[in-house]
Amino acid sequence: MRPIRLEMCAFGPFAGSEVLEFAELGQNPLFLINGPTGAGKTSILDAICYALYGETTSNERDAAQMRCHNAVPELLTEVTFLFELGGTRYRIRRVPEQERPKKSGEGKTRQPSESQLYRIAEDGSEQVLVARKVTDATQMMIDLTGLSAEQFRQVMVLPQGKFRELLLAPSEAREKIFQQLFQTQVYSRLENLLRERANALSSEVARLRERQGGMLLNTGAENAAALASAVAQLAQELVVAETARKAAEQ
């Protein structure tokens, strides 16, 4: 997945509208999100994760809590993320549930959560994949990325505090951390399954070799090659004998 453009409005610490043009980085595969504590670095990752799955990078905050307290009431909290996946561009917009001023009259009303997902063609035209329903957009993103929200957090976003723990940990501890972060238990299960199959095949090979040895012993041949040579010689003798039999019958 390659991020292209991220728009955040009244999201996290950003009271107004903030736009990040990742496209300006060109084709560079690595870039740094840098800034002092509280500058909003994690909020950028929260916004990307929220746009894709409707969840933030931390279980401590849900999407409804990501509205900036300093935003003016008329400004709707929303995130729009333009990205490229498998050579195709997509744009997804999400709006969390929140209170907003009524369009007519005084007072506030409840803005329900919504999401729109578009596929963008090379000519710039857009195809609507999801018009409004949040759950449909989330399921579509799971199908497109092949990752659930939890898997995305484990694979794409290294949780805070884990990096230092990872650097200072001994080899065995690092292995456990990687298992926790990347859910590598599936590879351990696969390794065990392959080991069991290899052991079963080794036992079957041993059984067949033992059977082969018994058969060679009965024929008096030293090995399989000698037995094959004897069989070939007998085949020639059989042809000669068959010819003689037919002559004798005539």
Side-chain angles (χ1 to χ4, degrees), residues 1-48:
M1 174 184 291
R2 186 170 71 92
I4 299 176
R5 191 171 194 263
L6 177 65
E7 302 177 39
M8 300 170 288
C9 188
F11 186 86
F14 308 114
S17 179
E18 299 290 338
V19 179
L20 297 180
E21 294 286 358
F22 293 102
E24 295 181 358
L25 300 173
Q27 298 299 321
N28 294 318
L30 296 176
F31 58 88
L32 173 67
I33 301 176
N34 186 37
T37 301
K41 301 184 296 297
T42 302
S43 295
I44 295 175
L45 302 178
D46 281 333
I48 293 176

Side-chain angles (χ1 to χ4, degrees), residues 161-174 177:
K162 290 294 183 182
F163 189 65
R164 177 178 173 82
E165 181 181 349
L166 182 65
L167 292 177
L168 300 180
S171 298
E172 294 182 0
R174 279 201 303 269
I177 295 173

Side-chain angles (χ1 to χ4, degrees), residues 18 28 39 51 90 120 138 152 171 212 215 222 227 230 247:
E18 299 290 338
N28 294 318
Y90 299 88
I120 304 175
T138 301
F152 181 83
S171 298
Q212 181 188 55
M215 296 174 66
E222 295 182 358
L227 179 60

Side-chain angles (χ1 to χ4, degrees), residues 156-207:
M156 304 299 292
V157 183
L158 191 65
Q160 288 187 359
K162 290 294 183 182
F163 189 65
R164 177 178 173 82
E165 181 181 349
L166 182 65
L167 292 177
L168 300 180
S171 298
E172 294 182 0
R174 279 201 303 269
E175 181 179 354
K176 292 181 180 179
I177 295 173
F178 279 127
Q179 288 179 349
Q180 177 185 356
L181 293 177
F182 303 111
Q183 295 295 295
T184 57
Q185 294 88 342
V186 62
Y187 301 108
S188 298
R189 291 195 296 269
L190 178 60
E191 182 181 359
N192 293 334
L193 178 61
L194 292 176
R195 185 183 296 110
E196 291 176 0
R197 292 185 177 180
N199 292 338
L201 288 174
S202 297
S203 300
E204 180 67 10
V205 168
R207 185 186 68 80

